[in-house]
Amino acid sequence: MPLAQTLRMEERLANEGHWPVWLGWIIVNRFQIVYYILFLPHVLIYPYMIWIIPIVAILSHLNLRVLSIWLQTQEARLGQAGFTQLLGGFAVRLLAFVGIGVILMQSSILTLSYLDVVHQTLFPSMSKVTPLILLGLASFYLARLGMISVGNFAILAFVMSFWMVLIYVQFLLPQKAVYEHLFPIFPQNVPHHILSNLLTVWAAFSGPEYLAFAGKRFAATTGLFRWLALGNAATALEYIFFFVITLLFYGAEYLQKIDLPVVQIVRYIELPFFERLEMIMVSNYMILIIFMNALFIHYLYNAVRTVANFVHKPKSALGLTVAAILLVSFMYFFSKYFWVLESEQNRWTTFHLWVSGATYAVIPSFLALTAYLRNKRRADK
Amino acid sequence: MKIMIVLAMAVLLSGCAGIAPKTNLIEEITPTILLYLKEGENSTVESTMVVPAVKEEKKQLLTVRSKMMKESRYLLTRNYYREIKSGQLHLLFISEELARKGIIDHINTLLLDQEIKTRLYMAVIRGDFVSYLQSQINRQEGIDRFLYKMFRHYEKKGDMTIVDLHHFLVNYYSPYSDPVLPIFTIRQGQLIYAGTALFREDRLVKSIPNEEDYIFQFVHRHQCFHTNIPLPDRNIVLGNVFSTRKIRFADRYEHAIVNLRLRGIVEEYTGDKDLSRPEEVADMIRDLERYLEERIHEHIRDWQKLAIDPAHIGRKTLSPFRQPFSGSEWKRHWRELPVTVRVELELENLGWIKPEKQGPGQRVG
């Protein structure tokens, strides 16, 4: 025990262990669920849209297959050095530079959307900056414990947030549920907005692509795919469940009018000893945001190191702190200048859906393909 | 450490308090549970609130007149020494005149308010509710709570129409149904359940009187238990009635059939049939069935004339694979749709003790 206490930051970062393989499914599942769960039913609206979720889940399943092929290559297991081997130093630095932008953008938009929910439903009189800073501090604290702890934290995030599904089970029962709201479950004529909905749901399944850079963190990568696929399936079930209950409760026409059905539906629950259950529920989702941002702080730190060519120097606590400050201050300025009007927010959200949809589609296949080509070339020689 | 605690206790217990001892936040706000909206002059709305008592004060009624809903809360707060909070709002009463003009604007404001939950019971009031509340508050302080308990009780039991904000809006937005609300009358200082108010969109168009409210309950609910169904026209009171309603469509949705199965007992009978003779009982049952069928059919015709579908029969046209009518098509189709009502009455018991009647010879005890 004294050893663990005296371990300094550098040593802790250097002596990191590994994630067990089964952690894959929890990380995938929680990373996909983050925030999307709150508004997805509002996007889908019509009963027949339910088919989009399994269709996209299958596509995502295939994509995870590609991801696990990449993760099994030896380049992926090498981490930073592997990328340099694969793409060359300059390309890696260029891509890392783009990655910084993507990470900052994604984490800001997801965090700020979540904070808006907090602001609207829980603390309308509180400044939006306070929870932002508190969230940043929590994520930083978690990030400081090292990448392995961040990964293990996914278990906590799962335990703390998954039980909330149980609250919603009552909405499947009559009185509250009107089963006719689910009909007709097959489209009667040519459905509209199907492409934009496909994109949204695809983006809602995004997130696991960040595991592509964490290849060396897993204890082993054989059998990893099965766990990733399990996480993906759990996400699909969760999305379907939430879509069905909101639809049963509201019906398509009413659902259109409600921005955050998953939050609003909780307001209907009445417990004899407690009201306003959404207070607990909404703040519980914070744990997912903390998990996500802690992971992003590490990624950001690594990306900055790569761009600045500091890869060979040892990791330091100071560097991580700087990365965290960079992330939080970017969020702050972003929220101050670009995230004010609702129309702006909607534009950014659309942009975000495109970006995360694109990264999820491109990163695994790109990496797997380059690794395949390189190995083939080597074999030919 | 111990000395510190003793010192702290000494200070706390010394009673050196100011004029206003520190209060909890809950004592500085007024979470109201009852709101009454009435039409005022010049398209304004009069909002009346029962302000709860904290400690030794008395309950009060506050009324303001305003053009908009939230303006009323702003005014109410400034009219009172505590801040008005609506987080505990559980009852919303609307005057009949206002309901006839349309209420969706007021309701939407409530829906958007994050403090207010959608489990907010609503009712239409006919009569002077403010003076009723005033007189009740003087007599029994907890009137707002008692009313809330009444709504809760009947929501579970299901004898009356009890609607909350959520259900109202679900039926309002759905093209296959129209909302309803219970209606209460103030008569001689009493609040009386007076049946069901039927809405087209957000406007009250008709109300079903209390005496025939059971008809609405039969058709409106898939299954329902009724403690008593008095049918004074037929000299009978049915008891413990369990009703099951089924709606079918025939001839490619050109014909609707409402099947109603009632199972219950005879609770009271003052007619001149001899209930110990099976053929007379069968006669009576047939007569009752015809009677109910006619009454129900009359009501459904009424709804069709008004182009409303309060019993959401339209929902039943939907099936997993088919949507024969879009919302607007259904509204047109419903007005002209022939409806057949079939009632099946099963009397499990004709009363435990057969009354011995002094008739002209034909009755055997």
Side-chain angles (χ1 to χ4, degrees):
Chain A
M1 190 198 69
L3 182 71
Q5 277 178 351
T6 52
L7 264 185
R8 291 181 52 211
M9 186 67 197
E10 293 95 277
E11 294 167 38
R12 212 190 285 165
L13 287 169
N15 290 354
E16 281 176 346
H18 291 290
W19 291 335
V21 181
W22 54 265
L23 198 62
W25 85 271
I26 294 183
I27 295 182
V28 165
N29 175 248
R30 288 300 103 177
F31 223 127
Q32 287 175 330
I33 292 282
V34 160
Y35 186 69
Y36 292 101
I37 194 77
L38 296 181
F39 77 96
L40 197 65
H42 173 66
V43 178
L44 296 175
I45 298 174
Y46 296 104
Y48 54 79
M49 292 288 185
I50 201 170
W51 300 110
I52 291 185
I53 301 174
I55 289 170
V56 174
I58 290 168
L59 291 178
S60 166
H61 181 85
L62 298 176
N63 201 31
L64 287 175
R65 176 85 248 190
V66 178
L67 178 68
S68 66
I69 290 174
W70 153 250
L71 284 174
Q72 274 166 8
T73 59
Q74 69 192 92
E75 284 88 355
R77 301 288 287 159
L78 281 175
Q80 188 80 45
F83 286 102
T84 324
Q85 275 179 24
L86 199 64
L87 302 164
F90 179 72
V92 168
R93 285 173 65 189
L94 189 72
L95 288 176
F97 186 71
V98 178
I100 292 177
V102 172
I103 288 174
L104 286 176
M105 206 52 125
Q106 287 213 329
S107 66
S108 308
I109 290 173
L110 286 175
T111 311
L112 292 175
S113 317
Y114 170 73
L115 287 181
D116 277 349
V117 177
V118 173
H119 187 73
Q120 272 174 30
T121 55
L122 305 189
F123 309 114
S125 56
M126 188 167 72
S127 150
K128 280 192 200 176
V129 183
T130 321
L132 179 67
I133 291 172
L134 290 176
L135 264 183
L137 280 175
S139 310
F140 173 60
Y141 174 76
L142 180 60
R144 247 183 65 103
L145 298 176
M147 187 74 165
I148 296 308
S149 305
V150 176
N152 290 336
F153 187 73
I155 302 172
L156 254 185
F158 181 80
V159 171
M160 293 284 281
S161 55
F162 187 77
W163 61 269
M164 283 188 284
V165 170
L166 300 177
I167 300 178
Y168 294 94
V169 172
Q170 55 178 299
F171 291 102
L172 286 174
L173 305 172
Q175 282 301 338
K176 291 188 180 117
V178 178
Y179 297 114
E180 284 89 1
H181 282 160
L182 213 54
F183 299 155
I185 204 155
F186 295 97
Q188 299 295 300
N189 32 35
V190 185
H192 305 288
H193 309 303
I194 204 118
L195 282 178
S196 69
N197 282 347
L198 269 174
L199 172 72
T200 311
V201 178
W202 175 255
F205 274 94
S206 74
E209 74 267 25
Y210 283 98
L211 287 181
F213 309 106
K216 65 172 181 180
R217 306 290 178 189
F218 282 103
T221 43
T222 43
L224 183 62
F225 170 64
R226 250 184 294 159
W227 291 109
L228 299 185
L230 178 65
N232 188 58
T235 309
L237 284 181
E238 217 164 317
Y239 284 154
I240 290 174
F241 174 77
F242 277 99
F243 183 47
V244 166
I245 54 143
T246 46
L247 202 56
L248 286 178
F249 190 62
Y250 289 115
E253 288 79 14
Y254 190 9
L255 190 59
Q256 259 171 323
K257 314 270 177 207
I258 294 171
D259 271 350
L260 295 164
V262 175
V263 179
Q264 298 297 330
I265 201 170
V266 183
R267 284 168 63 197
Y268 194 74
I269 299 173
E270 193 175 45
L271 297 177
F273 50 91
F274 191 75
E275 284 181 351
R276 297 204 69 181
L277 208 60
E278 81 267 18
M279 284 268 191
I280 291 181
M281 206 213 80
V282 171
S283 30
N284 233 317
Y285 276 109
M286 203 176 295
I287 206 160
L288 291 184
I289 302 282
I290 290 172
F291 163 68
M292 180 190 80
N293 279 339
L295 211 56
F296 276 146
I297 288 173
H298 271 280
Y299 277 69
L300 197 61
Y301 180 37
N302 283 339
V304 171
R305 271 158 47 94
T306 313
V307 172
N309 226 350
F310 283 166
V311 186
H312 305 295
K313 296 186 180 167
K315 287 187 178 181
S316 69
L318 181 71
L320 201 66
T321 316
V322 171
I325 290 172
L326 176 67
L327 186 71
V328 174
S329 49
F330 181 83
M331 282 182 197
Y332 172 70
F333 285 110
F334 188 75
S335 71
K336 202 167 170 194
Y337 297 109
F338 301 106
W339 190 264
V340 184
L341 303 176
E342 202 177 332
S343 55
E344 277 174 357
Q345 296 177 2
N346 290 341
R347 231 174 297 142
W348 281 115
T349 310
T350 320
F351 175 68
H352 166 75
L353 292 179
W354 279 103
V355 170
S356 46
T359 52
Y360 189 38
V362 170
I363 291 176
S365 42
F366 171 71
L367 290 173
L369 197 68
T370 36
Y372 170 74
L373 290 177
R374 179 168 181 269
N375 289 336
K376 207 177 152 200
R377 222 180 305 139
R378 253 199 332 204
D380 287 348
K381 279 178 194 169
Chain B
M1 192 61 203
K2 269 182 190 163
I3 296 171
M4 291 290 281
I5 293 173
V6 170
L7 269 177
M9 293 286 271
V11 173
L12 284 175
L13 293 173
S14 61
C16 308
I19 161 179
K22 177 141 178 49
T23 50
N24 295 320
L25 187 63
I26 192 73
E27 292 170 32
E28 294 162 18
I29 57 171
T30 45
T32 178
I33 68 169
L34 187 150
L35 177 65
Y36 171 57
L37 299 178
K38 190 184 154 207
E39 202 199 1
E41 290 152 17
N42 310 333
S43 69
T44 54
V45 173
E46 266 181 41
S47 326
T48 305
M49 233 173 216
V50 177
V51 181
V54 183
K55 297 196 166 168
E56 288 109 21
E57 1 169 342
K58 280 212 130 192
K59 264 196 184 169
Q60 291 187 40
L61 283 186
L62 293 181
T63 303
V64 289
R65 190 173 298 161
S66 65
K67 251 191 159 146
M68 294 159 94
M69 278 289 283
K70 277 297 152 76
E71 186 194 352
S72 76
R73 208 175 77 182
Y74 177 89
L75 293 172
L76 280 168
T77 297
R78 269 139 190 85
N79 282 6
Y80 192 55
Y81 46 80
R82 290 207 182 92
E83 189 185 353
I84 306 279
K85 290 273 182 191
S86 35
Q88 281 292 326
L89 194 64
H90 279 97
L91 298 169
L92 174 68
F93 292 98
I94 297 159
S95 78
E96 198 186 0
E97 296 77 39
L98 187 65
R100 284 191 189 280
K101 293 225 156 134
I103 50 175
I104 193 65
D105 290 343
H106 313 293
I107 285 181
N108 256 342
T109 314
L110 294 177
L111 178 70
L112 288 174
D113 191 333
Q114 292 295 328
E115 274 184 19
I116 298 171
K117 15 201 236 165
T118 42
R119 197 187 273 273
L120 168 70
Y121 296 119
M122 295 168 65
V124 175
I125 294 283
R126 183 183 290 156
D128 187 0
F129 193 50
V130 176
S131 59
Y132 166 76
L133 279 178
Q134 193 64 63
S135 71
Q136 287 293 316
I137 283 174
N138 293 338
R139 262 191 288 163
Q140 44 185 11
E141 282 242 320
I143 180 67
D144 45 356
R145 275 175 192 283
F146 300 153
L147 288 176
Y148 170 66
K149 293 225 167 107
M150 173 184 80
F151 277 92
R152 268 196 71 107
H153 176 74
Y154 286 108
E155 184 189 33
K156 277 185 207 138
K157 191 155 170 289
D159 250 348
M160 290 183 185
T161 306
I162 299 290
V163 179
D164 58 24
L165 180 60
H166 168 73
H167 285 115
F168 186 88
L169 286 173
V170 164
N171 288 327
Y172 171 76
Y173 283 117
S174 163
Y176 299 102
S177 56
D178 285 293
V180 296
L181 286 183
I183 183 163
F184 288 86
T185 310
I186 313 282
R187 205 181 300 140
Q188 293 158 354
Q190 296 278 9
L191 187 72
I192 299 159
Y193 178 77
T196 304
L198 310 178
F199 284 69
R200 189 198 295 130
E201 304 281 301
D202 62 330
R203 284 156 207 263
L204 193 158
V205 285
K206 190 183 167 27
S207 57
I208 301 176
N210 182 29
E211 295 73 43
E212 294 185 337
D213 195 50
Y214 65 88
I215 287 177
F216 177 72
Q217 308 298 341
F218 283 158
V219 187
H220 168 69
R221 291 167 196 264
H222 172 55
Q223 280 184 335
C224 188
F225 177 78
H226 310 258
T227 324
N228 274 317
I229 302 285
L231 302 168
D233 285 4
R234 288 290 179 278
N235 302 320
I236 192 167
V237 178
L238 302 177
N240 300 349
V241 178
F242 191 77
S243 68
T244 316
R245 176 219 60 181
K246 282 211 175 74
I247 291 167
R248 284 193 302 120
F249 291 91
D251 306 333
R252 301 178 152 262
Y253 297 94
E254 289 302 324
H255 189 179
I257 300 156
V258 178
N259 259 321
L260 190 67
R261 220 168 125 213
L262 305 174
R263 181 184 290 172
I265 61 170
V266 175
E267 199 132 54
E268 200 180 336
Y269 182 67
T270 53
D272 49 10
K273 291 226 165 63
D274 181 1
L275 296 192
S276 59
R277 296 169 68 171
E279 58 272 28
E280 288 202 35
V281 172
D283 221 35
M284 181 194 75
I285 288 180
R286 219 172 301 124
D287 176 55
L288 276 177
E289 282 174 350
R290 290 299 91 76
Y291 172 75
L292 285 173
E293 277 168 13
E294 249 168 59
R295 304 292 308 123
I296 294 172
H297 194 257
E298 240 170 70
H299 275 269
I300 292 182
R301 269 312 303 159
D302 260 7
W303 301 341
Q304 286 180 315
K305 273 182 210 149
L306 291 164
I308 53 173
D309 183 6
H312 33 75
I313 292 171
R315 266 187 205 158
K316 295 287 165 195
T317 60
L318 298 172
S319 72
F321 303 97
R322 291 204 59 193
Q323 184 187 19
F325 306 100
S326 72
S328 51
E329 277 168 5
W330 166 252
K331 286 210 162 113
R332 238 173 294 131
H333 189 72
W334 167 238
R335 299 183 67 165
E336 307 298 327
L337 185 69
V339 179
T340 310
V341 181
R342 282 194 201 128
V343 176
E344 249 177 86
L345 183 65
E346 289 169 14
L347 293 179
E348 289 172 327
N349 194 315
L350 304 171
W352 288 109
I353 301 163
K354 310 279 184 291
E356 206 157 326
K357 282 215 170 165
Q358 300 299 319
Q362 83 257 43
R363 268 169 193 59
V364 190

